[in-house]
């Protein structure tokens, strides 16, 4: 298991490469703190057996970061203050994921039937919230949960000022590019928060998926390529709009997800929500047949 000082990196299968898994951090100290619970459940249970897990801090509510909370019924489980309420109801999650916006109440019903029960159970076990930016001290390990909106509105990136380490989570530097496709995601916030991570006094960046550990220099180079994908999406969409495509046609090409995967309900949903954000950002409108449900409660 890789270690950076007192921080242990716990992997999910295949380098934590994708949903439903992600990398977790374990703070090897008397407070027994786990950050995110998306790692391989076998490894997490092993840690629990050997070291104990008393407190779980979730960076955000997505399933690949929270789904194994339920394995530790006795641990305290905290999430960021913006997403605590969202995570309390399936309805709230459906709205944040764009399911309601794109398909309305009927779509939400269908989506509910395919929800992984361990995720629902894990969110149901959340016990409260932590504070953004505050310096927590876990048996001498100082950490701040930096508010890093964009990927979701509540995402936090844990920053260890004394160790010069940042857990960049879903700033994962993968070739897929930035993900901000929920109705709680925001492209401009995503860019701003990404830039803030680079301004921190840190030399080690740990991502939640794939490669894992970057030096600051490597992370800066990767960030440039990563954020540039946003502009490439803009350009593609602009080109297609100029050709006169309708919203239905535009969302069947595969701007975010490979075309062949767009018959999957949730990926199609995120293809639509993502393209909607770019159209809005570009100030463009296209003909659309379907109705958009507003997210207001
Ligand atoms: Zn996420």
């Amino acid at each position: 298991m890789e270690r950076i000082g007192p921080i242990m990196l716990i992997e999910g299968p295949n380098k934590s490469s994708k949903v439903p898994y992600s990398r977790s951090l374990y703070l090897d100290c008397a407070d027994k703190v786990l950050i995110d619970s998306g790692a391989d459940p076998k490894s997490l249970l092993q840690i629990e057996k050997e070291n104990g897990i008393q407190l779980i801090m979730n960076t955000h509510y997505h399933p690949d970061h929270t789904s194994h909370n339920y394995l530790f019924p006795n641990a305290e489980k905290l999430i960021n203050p913006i997403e605590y309420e969202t995570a309390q109801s399936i309805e709230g999650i459906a709205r944040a994921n764009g399911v309601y916006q794109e398909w309305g109440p009927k779509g939400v019903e269908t989506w509910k039937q395919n929800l992984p029960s361990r995720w629902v159970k894990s969110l149901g076990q959340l016990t409260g919230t932590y504070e953004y930016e505050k310096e927590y001290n876990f048996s001498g390990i100082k950490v701040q949960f930096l508010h890093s909106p964009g990927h979701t509105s509540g995402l936090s990136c844990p920053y260890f000022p004394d160790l010069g380490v940042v857990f960049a989570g879903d700033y994962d530097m993968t070739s897929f590019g930035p993900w901000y496709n929920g109705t709680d995601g925001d492209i401009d916030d995503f860019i701003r928060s990404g830039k803030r991570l680079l301004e921190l006094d840190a030399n080690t960046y740990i991502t939640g998926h794939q490669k894992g550990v970057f030096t600051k220099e490597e992370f800066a180079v990767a960030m440039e390529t990563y954020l540039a994908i946003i502009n490439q999406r803009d350009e593609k969409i602009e080109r297609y709009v100029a050709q006169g495509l309708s919203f239905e046609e535009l969302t069947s090409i595969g701007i975010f997800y490979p075309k062949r995967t767009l018959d999957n309900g949730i990926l199609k949903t995120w293809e639509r929500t993502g393209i909607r954000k770019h159209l809005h950002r570009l100030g463009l409108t296209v003909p659309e047949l379907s109705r958009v449900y507003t997210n207001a409660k």
Side-chain angles (χ1 to χ4, degrees):
M1 198 170 288
E2 195 168 348
R3 263 190 106 101
I4 297 167
I7 305 172
M8 288 158 68
L9 277 63
I10 313 168
E11 294 293 328
N14 305 315
K15 277 245 135 209
S16 312
S17 52
K18 53 183 173 185
V19 178
Y21 298 105
S22 73
R23 193 166 283 121
S24 297
L25 301 187
Y26 180 72
L27 309 186
D28 190 14
C29 66
D31 287 305
K32 305 177 193 303
V33 183
L34 180 71
I35 301 181
D36 281 348
S37 65
D40 190 331
K42 278 186 250 135
S43 310
L44 292 173
L45 288 168
Q46 185 76 13
I47 296 257
E48 154 85 338
K49 206 167 124 197
E50 287 170 9
N51 310 56
I53 292 175
Q54 287 176 354
L55 173 62
I56 302 177
M57 304 289 257
N58 291 126
T59 58
H60 62 305
Y61 69 93
H62 283 162
D64 50 330
H65 298 261
T66 53
S67 279
H68 301 128
N69 280 11
Y70 82 96
L71 292 173
F72 311 100
N74 300 320
E76 191 179 353
K77 302 173 190 83
L78 306 181
I79 194 165
N80 68 68
I82 290 179
E83 293 171 357
Y84 181 72
E85 206 195 317
T86 307
Q88 294 307 305
S89 75
I90 292 177
E91 201 65 26
I93 301 165
R95 284 173 190 269
N97 276 277
V99 178
Y100 184 77
Q101 174 184 288
E102 298 304 323
W103 317 110
K106 268 194 185 153
V108 172
E109 284 313 309
T110 313
W111 176 79
K112 274 183 188 170
Q113 277 148 34
N114 300 312
L115 270 187
S117 60
R118 54 185 192 150
W119 184 33
V120 177
K121 203 167 162 190
S122 287
L123 293 181
Q125 282 188 15
L126 287 169
T127 49
T129 62
Y130 51 79
E131 274 178 57
Y132 287 126
E133 313 290 326
K134 172 181 161 176
E135 190 174 272
Y136 286 88
N137 189 327
F138 297 120
S139 320
I141 306 173
K142 290 181 186 157
V143 56
Q144 289 169 272
F145 293 81
L146 305 180
H147 186 204
S148 312
H151 173 69
T152 64
S153 57
L155 176 73
S156 75
C157 290
Y159 167 50
F160 301 85
D162 290 351
L163 300 168
V165 173
V166 181
F167 187 31
D170 279 335
Y171 282 87
D172 57 16
M173 306 299 139
T174 59
S175 57
F176 177 89
W179 195 96
Y180 35 71
N181 300 38
T183 57
D184 58 345
D186 185 277
I187 299 176
D188 293 328
D189 283 348
F190 194 102
I191 296 168
R192 248 192 310 274
S193 296
K195 290 187 173 159
R196 182 187 179 199
L197 295 181
L198 289 172
E199 285 164 11
L200 297 170
D201 183 12
N203 198 35
T204 306
Y205 289 77
I206 306 168
T207 62
H209 302 279
Q210 294 186 18
K211 182 175 186 295
V213 181
F214 294 69
T215 62
K216 180 170 225 162
E217 209 183 320
E218 289 167 343
F219 196 69
V221 171
M223 183 72 86
E224 202 164 315
T225 311
Y226 188 64
L227 294 180
I229 295 173
I230 296 174
N231 295 331
Q232 292 157 15
R233 289 170 181 161
D234 268 346
E235 284 159 20
K236 260 193 215 167
I237 291 169
E238 228 171 357
R239 225 172 30 239
Y240 284 119
V241 171
Q243 292 169 16
L245 267 61
S246 70
F247 189 70
E248 305 307 323
E249 289 166 328
L250 193 54
T251 53
S252 303
I253 294 167
I255 307 283
F256 287 88
Y257 294 96
K259 185 179 171 62
R260 64 181 156 77
T261 65
L262 291 177
D263 49 3
N264 172 321
I266 197 65
L267 299 187
K268 181 72 171 184
T269 305
W270 293 336
E271 185 76 13
R272 290 168 65 103
T273 49
I275 288 173
R276 242 181 245 296
K277 282 177 208 282
H278 279 274
L279 288 172
H280 180 74
R281 173 178 154 89
L282 293 163
L284 297 172
T285 47
V286 290
E288 181 174 3
L289 296 173
S290 52
R291 162 178 176 195
V292 181
Y293 291 81
T294 59
N295 241 348
K297 282 180 192 161

